[in-house]
Amino acid sequence: MDQVSQQKNPAARRPTIADIAKIVGVSKVSVSNALNGQPGVSEATRARIAAVAEEIGFVRNSAARALSGAKSSAVGLALARPARMLGTEPFFMELIGGIESVLSDASYSLALQVVSDHERGLEAYRRWWGEGQIDGAVLVDLREDDARVPPLEEMGLPTVVIGHPSGSGSLTPVWSDDAAAIRETLEYLAALGHRKVGRVAGLAGLVHTSLRDRAFIAVGGELGLEAMPVVHTDYTGVEGARATRRLLLSPGRPTAILYDNDMTAVAGLSVAQEMGLEVPRDLSIVAWDDSPLVQVVRPPLTALTRDIHAYGANAARTLLSLISGQKTDGYEDLAPQLTPRGSTGAPPA
């Protein structure tokens, strides 16, 4: 009995995409693309896949839905980070909450997958789109020359990028003016009398990190601030503490430090106290992205405040517009605003 005949046995389990892939000798993604009319499969292979699917009695609701042009009423989001870290990142929890609030009102669901790297994330988008499981996608952690952008453009998958237009290609961006937030912060610190301001940044290579780096250097030069090193981290408290020690142990240490997220800023406060420094008398601290975390420590931290929930909601509304066929150039959200608290003051005399 040949391979196809075995799959037709009525007593056998329900045929799957994996069965078709094995018989034809192609990948499961190729089978999904062929069954759903997506590009990337030759006509000969597409015809062979269709024939095998019919012969073994393959039926898949998502495939049938996609072929009929029906909507899945779902959007996808792949996050590249250790799963155990997701609950410790207030930014992403707030962002996802904002996305969900809009999707729920529109009777859409969010397909969320935590992956080990961007390549796996792209595979998830391909699979979801190829199998008709999603109508659109949200792309986060935009990198310079991001390798995910060209394939997503080729797929024709409606996609909103949480990131600056300079790195989003033809995909639709939703962003805020980080350079304006850097300027407001440095002007405030300079007005307090600071001339040595350090920066504990996020991951190098991310578009928003690079934009903040360039703005920090440019605005600092305009204000006559002394050039201080920018230390990049992975946004964790451990890395934030290590970067703070490096800055505070450097010759001519800074009298103020700007952190790229709340976790590193709180870790920086702990290091300052560990080293016997009083905040803000000896060191001023500013956190990017306000959260309950920076408000419950003592002293509460000055922070760059923005409505992250609304940021996610605006991204979801933009994506739903794309899915419905409307054209949009993207959405520029409000820039973060400085909220002074007890962690900033005049530098030591």
Side-chain angles (χ1 to χ4, degrees):
M1 187 181 293
D2 63 23
Q3 206 169 9
V4 173
S5 298
Q6 288 176 355
Q7 294 294 349
K8 291 180 69 176
N9 183 348
R13 59 180 172 77
R14 181 182 179 185
T16 67
I17 281 179
D19 296 327
I20 301 173
K22 185 176 181 180
I23 295 169
V24 180
V26 296
S27 69
K28 290 186 289 185
V29 171
S30 294
V31 174
S32 296
N33 288 342
L35 293 175
N36 291 288
Q38 299 298 323
V41 184
S42 71
E43 289 306 314
T45 301
R46 193 185 302 275
R48 172 65 174 152
I49 288 171
V52 170
E54 182 177 358
E55 189 169 356
I56 68 175
F58 172 81
V59 177
R60 185 182 178 95
N61 290 338
S62 61
R65 181 174 61 245
L67 288 168
S68 68
K71 298 291 187 182
S72 67
S73 296
V75 302
L77 170 59
L79 282 174
R81 61 203 0 90
R84 67 179 181 276
M85 286 181 58
L86 187 58
T88 67
E89 293 190 85
F91 173 85
F92 275 109
M93 299 310 294
E94 281 287 312
L95 184 77
I96 291 170
I99 292 172
E100 286 274 28
S101 68
V102 170
L103 295 183
S104 177
D105 288 344
S107 298
Y108 266 72
S109 60
L110 178 67
L112 174 64
Q113 185 168 338
V114 179
V115 295
S116 57
D117 52 44
H118 284 335
E119 185 176 345
R120 294 290 180 87
L122 182 57
E123 289 176 4
Y125 290 125
R126 285 188 189 277
R127 183 179 69 256
W128 286 332
W129 182 237
E131 295 179 358
Q133 296 183 35
I134 60 172
D135 300 323
V138 179
L139 189 71
V140 297
D141 295 331
L142 183 66
R143 302 190 68 85
E144 294 184 312
D145 299 319
D146 199 308
R148 298 169 296 172
V149 171
L152 287 169
E153 291 174 325
E154 291 175 10
M155 278 189 271
L157 171 62
T159 303
V160 161
V161 178
I162 306 292
H164 196 267
S166 62
S168 62
S170 65
L171 302 179
T172 303
V174 172
W175 78 101
S176 60
D177 190 347
D178 285 1
I182 289 282
R183 176 173 293 279
E184 182 182 11
T185 302
L186 291 184
E187 288 178 345
Y188 170 70
L189 292 173
L192 289 175
H194 292 276
R195 291 295 174 266
K196 297 179 181 180
V197 181
R199 175 165 140 73
V200 173
L203 289 167
L206 292 178
V207 169
H208 73 265
T209 302
S210 298
L211 288 171
R212 293 177 189 182
D213 287 349
R214 290 194 290 270
F216 183 78
I217 293 169
V219 176
E222 290 177 22
L223 297 174
L225 304 183
E226 184 175 324
M228 297 294 296
V230 174
V231 186
H232 293 97
T233 72
D234 62 0
Y235 292 112
T236 64
V238 172
E239 285 293 310
R242 184 176 293 118
T244 303
R245 290 189 191 96
R246 175 179 166 185
L247 286 172
L248 294 181
L249 291 173
S250 63
R253 72 186 184 200
T255 58
I257 301 177
L258 169 59
Y259 292 82
D260 255 16
N261 76 338
D262 48 0
M263 289 291 293
T264 53
V266 171
L269 173 65
S270 295
V271 168
Q273 294 169 342
E274 158 198 311
M275 295 178 67
L277 300 178
E278 186 175 326
V279 176
R281 187 192 65 190
D282 302 314
L283 177 70
S284 286
I285 291 176
V286 180
W288 201 297
D289 286 335
D290 207 347
S291 75
L293 186 62
V294 304
Q295 297 176 37
V296 298
V297 294
R298 290 292 177 269
L301 303 185
T302 295
L304 283 160
T305 304
R306 57 177 168 172
D307 191 338
I308 301 170
H309 190 276
Y311 197 34
N314 288 328
R317 290 190 193 97
T318 303
L319 181 55
L320 291 178
S321 295
L322 285 177
I323 292 170
S324 68
Q326 299 178 39
K327 290 187 177 181
T328 173
D329 294 327
Y331 184 90
E332 183 175 1
D333 214 317
L334 296 174
Q337 303 292 312
L338 191 70
T339 302
R341 295 196 182 98
S343 68
T344 47

